[in-house]
Amino acid sequence: MLTNELQATLQRALDDSLQRRHEYVQLEHVLLSLLKDATAVDILQHCGADLDSLCEKIEIYLKEEVESIEDNIEYEPEKTLAFQRMLQRAVTHVQSAGKDSLHAGNLLVSLLREEESYAVYLLAEQGITRFDIINYISHGISKESLADFGTNIDDHDDGFVQKEFIEYSFEQFTSDLMLQVEQGLIDPLIGRQKELDQIFEALMRRKKNNPLLLGEPGVGKTALAQGIAWKVYHGDVPKALNDLRIYSLNLGSILANAKYRGDFERCFKGVLEFIAQDPLAVLFIDEIHTIIGAGSTQGSSFDASALIKAPLALGTLRCIGATTYKDYNNVFIKDRGLARRFQTINVEEPTVEETEKILHGLKASYEKHHRIQFTKAAISSAVHLSARYLNDTFLPDKAIDLLDITGAQAALSPTKKKWIKPKDVEQIVARMARIPAHSVSKKDKERLENLTKDLTSIIFGQDDVIANVVETIRLSRAGLGRKNHPIGCFLLAGPTGVGKTELAKQLAVVLNLNFARYDMSEYMEKHSVSRLIGSPPGYVGFDQGGLLTNEIRKNPHTILLLDEIEKAHPDIANILLQIMDDASLMDNNGQRADFEHVILMMTTNEGSVQAATSTIGFSENDQRRGKSNKAIENRFSPELRNRMDSILQFNPLEMSSIKKVARKFLDELEGQLQEKHVELIVSDKAYIWFAEHGYNASFGARPMIRLIQEQLKTPISNELLFGAIQKGGKVRVNVKNKTLTITYEDLKGNKIQSYKSK
Amino acid sequence: MSQDPKIEEFQQDSLIDEREKPVPPKRYNVVLYNDDYTTTEFVVMVLETIFRHSNEEAIRIMLQIHHHGMGIAGLFAKEIAETKMFETIRLARQFEYPLQCTIKLEE
């Protein structure tokens, strides 16, 4: 029943009593022995006991208050009733709880049931109750020794906090950065000389000697403060600052420990007093904007920031703060009184070269962790690629992240990689920036080479246009594209039905890019702009952001098609100006969408009407083009036209193209029928028939589609559902006497004469 | 204000601790009572062995009990007092003497 430890403890109590030649083995002997029992010590400490004091007092009691028996008498100390009771009680309790081992904690609980015992009195004096012990051994909940401190404070009028408490709170709520450097937890600081100089200057000031590091998240503010600690530890600072001691404030743990009103203020003040005592100590407060509002109760505006204002102003407290621009502007600056006591120092993103140096300095710890090594080229590419493609975050954070992720991936890969090369880094960047399988892989190269061929086999009669587009894309892929500019901005003009929308679609398919289509007829009203970029604050839908910005942010590599741009509201055009010029669009939340990898295509039917009117005289094409251009000039503002890379004029379809179109659609139909196990055989004469009857210069390819549908698809579908070819067969299309004939043959070869066209 | 008997019962289990400042434990007197059947020799023996008095002391206390009905065998901490009381009674019953013994709070 008793644990071995407890048995030993009890035996020790018996031996102790014998040794002292006491009449009985009392509870005091037991308590003294428990103070050497590991379990009991753990429990008592967590209940806030001062074990040394306890031990002392018991020893004194046992020496002075308990009678000893003379030396010459042989005897053995008896256990007192209380001792036996205590043990019995503990056993009974443990048994009824269904457990089979009794440890020192159970014994302590039982001990505290005894009344009028000096041992119990001593424990009670220490503030330990039976409940505390039960609580701890049941749930591991330690007693808050903080509350004890609170009740033990002598009431001094000047509000000084007890010395013990100051030290205690200091250890709990701050971390000594010098200690961390010693333990090797902080990496050395590289570069950043300009910021360091400013910080040192600020620290040396007489008044307001509190530098406030401001910068975007990830530029290295916390690293800078820790780096200063590193430098001080290694003596790499100006002589005047040689003995600096930097402590980092842990506001969260103070808040966690504050149960009652006034606890937070007391703890915080304890920390401040400690720093104030030591003129060489500096308090580093990270995320200093959290100080505003921290620890204030409802109804009171007294918070942590109010507590530090006075010592800051006096100069007794030296403080280094760090926060981001956004938090500074939204939170910190609201408290003018506090803000003015700090000297702001801007921490900029380091340059690419500086970042490389930083990474070289840091790589050792990452290499060790992932058990790989980074080549020099890999580090360089990490910095350059992250700078180029990861636009939402800042250096050096994103470069370090990139290295870390690459290392992690290498560690996970089944093949044991030893060296990280630029290729691995590129892979990770491609994934993070959602670049489609890029970095000019072999497959991709082939695609680019064959781009013209692929496109001309789908879109007929627009070779110039296709050539133009392909050129622009190749230019950008070769790396010669313009920075801060989309890959290409095109206005596709021309008669209806010639393949403007189709070109954009097919381009996306061939290049394997995301395709986003916006029909501008939906954006004819003034307020539709807010659909694209998000509504202003206060309006419905503010949180959702804009359709366009979200799309591009999700897929930065996109073919963006704006159909029928002439229908859009002029305000939309104004947004376009920005996209085409700067390749970026800011939504209502202030976040930028990057259009640098977007191919922007706008279609319009403007000019087609004018071009359709035939004229006398000059070659048709030129006239048409001229008229169309004029119309476009009138419709679109000069700024818009100026920013386009080119205005692609689509030619109306010639007879040759129409033939190809016919063939294309018939092939498509053939494919569809094949799925139904029906073979479609179209004679050459039939092709020509279709071409002749489907041609309409002003309507492009659509009449052809309609014709095929009328003449072929409808009759065939009837036969397919109810007629001869239900289970499969053949369909022959021919021309006889200038009319179209369709012959159906079922699987057995029975011919059924069919419809003639009108 | 009378409480729900269930709460009272609970409180008697003293799971809830009354937070008063702890007082050092008081000591208790062990009191022996006179009766017509316990022999004086026995009482003296008890006083000498259990209470470790000298022979003279033991006789003096015995006479005190004999003549005045009761006498104090000694002043001890409660734990010790009750143990000694128990031992006294056990010894007396062993010899079949009806010797009565109690402990009383020191005044």
Side-chain angles (χ1 to χ4, degrees), chain A residues 496-499 653 658 661 665 694 696 699-706:
Chain A
T496 171
V498 294
L653 290 180
I658 292 285
V661 170
F665 285 122
N696 188 332
F699 288 132
R702 289 213 177 89
M704 175 60 62
I705 304 174
R706 278 195 290 274

Side-chain angles (χ1 to χ4, degrees), chain A residues 250-295:
Chain A
N250 192 346
L251 199 57
S253 64
I254 302 186
L255 284 169
N257 253 310
K259 265 196 327 199
Y260 300 113
R261 200 182 260 270
D263 273 350
F264 176 80
E265 284 80 356
R266 209 168 341 109
C267 300
F268 198 68
K269 242 186 146 213
V271 175
L272 295 181
E273 299 277 333
F274 191 94
I275 300 265
Q277 278 171 17
D278 185 357
L280 292 166
V282 177
L283 187 64
F284 172 57
I285 307 180
D286 210 354
E287 312 289 345
I288 199 170
H289 58 280
T290 57
I291 267 206
I292 304 209

Side-chain angles (χ1 to χ4, degrees), chain A residues 23-24 26-28 61 67-70 80-82 85 113 116-118 121 124-125 129-130 143, chain B residues 13-15 17 19 22-28 50 52 77-80 82-84 86-87 105:
Chain A
E23 258 186 295
Y24 301 101
Q26 298 172 227
L27 300 180
E28 285 75 27
Y61 179 81
E67 276 183 44
S68 316
I69 297 186
E70 305 84 44
T80 58
L81 286 185
R85 231 183 357 240
R113 276 277 204 183
E116 309 236 41
S117 162
Y118 190 70
Y121 163 69
E125 213 189 12
T129 62
R130 186 167 163 271
K143 195 160 144 170
Chain B
D13 277 1
S14 57
L15 274 178
D17 196 1
R19 286 283 215 159
V23 286
K26 297 240 166 61
R27 296 198 284 185
Y28 285 70
I50 296 179
R52 305 198 307 118
K78 185 177 183 201
E79 189 184 347
I80 309 295
E82 74 178 353
T83 310
K84 289 196 191 260
F86 177 74
E87 281 187 1
L105 190 64

